[in-house]
Amino acid sequence: MVFEGRFRLFSLVGAGSLTGLLWTCSLPLVDAGWLAWFCLVPCLYLLLHCNLTNREIWLLGLSAGLAAGFGRVYWVAETLQNYGGLSAPLAYLTTFLLSAYIGLFPAIVFRLSAYFSTLHQRRLPWIIAAVWVLLDWILSWLFTGFPWAVLGYSQYQSTWILPIAAIGGVHSLSYILVAANAAIAQLLGCRRTVWALVALCVPCLAGSLAAHLIVPGQAQELPSLHVGIVQGSVEQGAKWQSVSLTQTTGRHLRLARQLDTSKGPLDLIVFPETAFPFRLDHPNYEIHRRWLAELSAESGASLLVGALGSTSERGDKGLFNRAYLIDGETTAGFADKVHLVPFGEYLPMKWIFGYLDELTAESGAFDPGQLGHKVLNLPAAAERVAVRFSVFICYESIFQEIARQQTLDGAEFLINTTNDGWFGTTSAPAQHLAMAVLRAVENGRPVVRAANTGISCFIDAKGGIHQPTQLFEQTAIQGHVVPQRVLTPYTRTGDLIFALS
């Protein structure tokens, strides 16, 4: 036993907290992705080589899960205070409960790991990794899902391992990382398990090589598009005030007109989620629609405009978080947000969470899009055929299946509009960007990301981030996007690889 007596409790909580700290630092903002390769070792070493009681295993697992959970979502407390009207104690209590919820999943993995360690020593790294990704998958849909910043996202900047996501998605990265942690923990305690680490390297290297060979290249199957992104950086507290609507509209139009067309006309200008925070289809905002039509006509570009909608595809009245495609005087289509943010865009179980009413009221209680996610056609222009794209709005970027289904439906590039102004200068905007990178790699599709306060950027089909903006910077950027038609193995099969394992 490595710890005894009164230091026993301290050692368990300390090891769990260390694991949580290393996991947090592997993600943005610290961005030390290399820490993910051994962040779980402190806990797994104690689990595999110390005779812990059932109660001690849960203490260890919950310490790690809670520390990692709070490190991933600590920014919720600031949002609840600034926009939910909560006092600091209540805001941090709510954040603690969310941290405990997502932290329960790794705690369950650690408990099962202790059980399997007595049965399957040789296959243990793969078993632990399989259980881990199974629970990550459950986290992605249970209670509408909250797979925020799972371990695999720590590798969003790795040119070596990131391409493997084109085969198995972000869960494949988590699988490799957890298996590596378990193999290292085994190796530290018993030399007979050296083969586990060696055996792990073979599929890891083979998977990386295969991914590099099969990821769609940048060959121009379709002509590249000249795309502009407008980042208005409207402060969240002022965004929904009616007195600022004309100012907000004017700011975005002014920034759009600063885009450089000297090297060729723009095909598309993308505005962030609810950049125009009013019902664009309502008669009261005819003048605003006219201003947008004039911008489209003078620039020769189609516009993707984040605004609100008051009528659904079926003609029902409601309030919809919407992206309109405007081409000259014509509204060529629109896409609604389907997977809404609980507590931010609707309030579940009001009898429990009624105290969060003010947070929902800040942006409005929305209705989900009735016909699901749609693929839109970017109208043909001179020397360019029509191109198909799809939009996932804000929170939808954390769900793998949304972007995958959009790609299967024919999207040749993807657009992520978002408003991360809720989160200030915390790690949340950077974490959110990392998840959009995985959506690009998983599906072999470039992603155009327009964020109200940042981080806006262009993400290529291999996950490269180009021209990232600074937070709270008023700017407009432009670049070339290469649409793709080749489907990755992940797009074709989804998470089937884990079902087979």
Side-chain angles (χ1 to χ4, degrees):
M1 196 61 145
V2 296
F3 50 91
E4 295 292 347
R6 61 181 180 178
F7 296 106
R8 189 178 185 89
L9 178 64
F10 175 81
S11 299
L12 290 169
V13 174
S17 300
L18 178 59
T19 281
L21 177 63
L22 294 175
W23 182 351
T24 299
C25 290
S26 72
L27 297 163
L29 289 169
V30 179
D31 263 339
W34 53 275
L35 292 175
W37 292 92
F38 56 86
C39 66
L40 306 178
V41 171
C43 286
L44 291 176
Y45 178 85
L46 295 181
L47 286 172
L48 301 182
H49 304 296
C50 299
N51 187 25
L52 301 182
T53 65
N54 186 58
R55 181 177 299 179
E56 289 170 339
I57 292 170
W58 280 110
L59 176 62
L60 179 67
L62 290 173
S63 298
L66 185 59
F70 187 79
R72 289 151 61 196
V73 301
Y74 73 92
W75 42 266
V76 171
E78 181 177 318
T79 301
L80 292 176
Q81 291 178 79
N82 292 339
Y83 307 111
L86 269 62
S87 64
L90 190 55
Y92 277 98
L93 175 61
T94 303
T95 305
F96 172 82
L97 293 175
L98 176 60
S99 303
Y101 167 66
I102 62 176
L104 180 62
F105 289 80
I108 294 172
V109 175
F110 291 155
R111 180 63 193 90
L112 293 175
S113 299
Y115 170 75
F116 286 121
S117 67
T118 62
L119 303 176
H120 304 284
Q121 279 286 337
R122 293 186 176 182
R123 296 191 297 269
L124 192 58
W126 290 273
I127 293 174
I128 294 175
V131 174
W132 186 284
V133 297
L134 173 62
L135 290 178
D136 271 355
W137 175 76
I138 293 173
L139 182 62
S140 71
W141 56 261
L142 188 64
F143 304 127
T144 78
F146 190 66
W148 184 272
V150 297
L151 189 60
Y153 289 115
S154 64
Q155 305 305 301
Y156 79 104
Q157 296 184 99
S158 171
T159 57
W160 168 60
I161 192 174
L162 180 60
I164 296 177
I167 298 176
V170 68
H171 292 319
S172 64
L173 306 186
S174 296
Y175 183 94
I176 291 171
L177 291 169
V178 175
N181 275 268
I184 293 171
Q186 277 192 321
L187 182 62
L188 290 175
C190 179
R191 293 185 179 273
R192 292 194 305 273
T193 57
V194 171
W195 69 271
L197 190 56
V198 174
L200 174 65
C201 292
V202 174
C204 187
L205 292 174
S208 181
L209 177 62
H212 279 82
L213 293 175
I214 65 177
V215 170
Q218 296 299 319
Q220 296 188 16
E221 292 188 26
L222 297 170
S224 65
L225 304 173
H226 190 194
V227 179
I229 301 173
V230 175
Q231 179 174 301
S233 194
V234 179
E235 198 277 320
Q236 185 62 34
K239 181 172 183 175
W240 298 101
Q241 296 177 11
S242 59
V243 294
S244 67
L245 294 185
T246 299
Q247 288 181 327
T248 297
T249 302
R251 177 186 297 184
H252 285 90
L253 296 180
R254 183 180 68 254
L255 288 169
R257 288 188 168 94
Q258 293 174 6
L259 291 165
D260 182 13
T261 58
S262 62
K263 296 181 180 179
L266 290 161
D267 296 297
L268 178 66
I269 301 175
V270 182
F271 296 87
E273 176 192 19
T274 59
F276 302 88
F278 47 80
R279 300 172 188 251
L280 195 63
D281 57 353
H282 195 280
N284 288 351
Y285 301 101
E286 174 63 31
I287 184 64
H288 299 81
R289 290 197 299 275
R290 190 185 313 158
W291 290 341
L292 289 166
E294 290 172 356
L295 172 64
S296 179
E298 72 179 59
S299 66
S302 298
L303 311 179
L304 187 74
V305 177
L308 305 181
S310 56
T311 305
S312 74
E313 298 97 326
R314 296 172 179 165
D316 298 331
K317 299 297 182 181
L319 181 64
F320 302 92
N321 188 340
R322 180 167 292 171
Y324 290 90
L325 181 62
I326 296 175
D327 185 52
E329 296 288 339
T330 305
T331 299
F334 61 81
D336 285 340
K337 189 173 185 179
V338 177
H339 197 134
L340 302 178
V341 182
F343 310 109
E345 293 175 318
Y346 75 98
L347 190 63
M349 296 183 288
K350 292 185 179 182
W351 55 283
I352 296 179
F353 300 110
Y355 70 96
L356 295 174
D357 257 332
E358 189 171 332
L359 182 64
T360 305
E362 175 69 24
S363 60
F366 290 100
D367 299 296
Q370 293 181 342
L371 299 185
H373 295 94
K374 298 188 295 187
V375 176
L376 302 177
N377 290 309
L378 184 63
E383 301 181 0
R384 177 177 60 75
V385 298
V387 178
R388 308 186 75 198
F389 70 94
S390 199
V391 185
F392 51 93
I393 299 176
C394 192
Y395 182 68
E396 293 181 324
S397 66
I398 77 175
F399 297 98
Q400 296 169 267
E401 190 57 33
I402 291 176
R404 175 176 173 263
Q405 189 58 54
Q406 291 172 328
T407 305
L408 285 173
D409 290 341
E412 294 157 341
F413 73 100
L414 302 170
I415 296 177
N416 175 213
T417 62
T418 186
N419 174 27
D420 291 347
W422 300 93
F423 313 130
T425 56
T426 66
S427 63
Q431 291 175 351
H432 207 182
L433 169 61
M435 290 181 267
V437 170
L438 265 294
R439 303 297 84 84
V441 177
E442 288 165 348
N443 299 288
R445 293 293 183 270
V447 174
V448 177
R449 189 171 197 269
N452 173 34
T453 56
I455 305 168
S456 303
C457 63
F458 297 94
I459 306 171
D460 64 41
K462 293 185 177 181
I465 302 172
H466 305 279
Q467 302 183 59
T469 62
Q470 298 297 314
L471 288 177
F472 294 96
E473 175 186 15
Q474 292 183 29
T475 187
I477 59 175
Q478 59 199 80
H480 285 87
V481 175
V482 183
Q484 300 286 335
R485 286 179 174 165
V486 178
L487 298 182
T488 65
Y490 178 76
T491 301
R492 295 177 183 275
T493 64
D495 294 321
L496 179 63
I497 186 173
F498 298 110
L500 295 177
S501 66

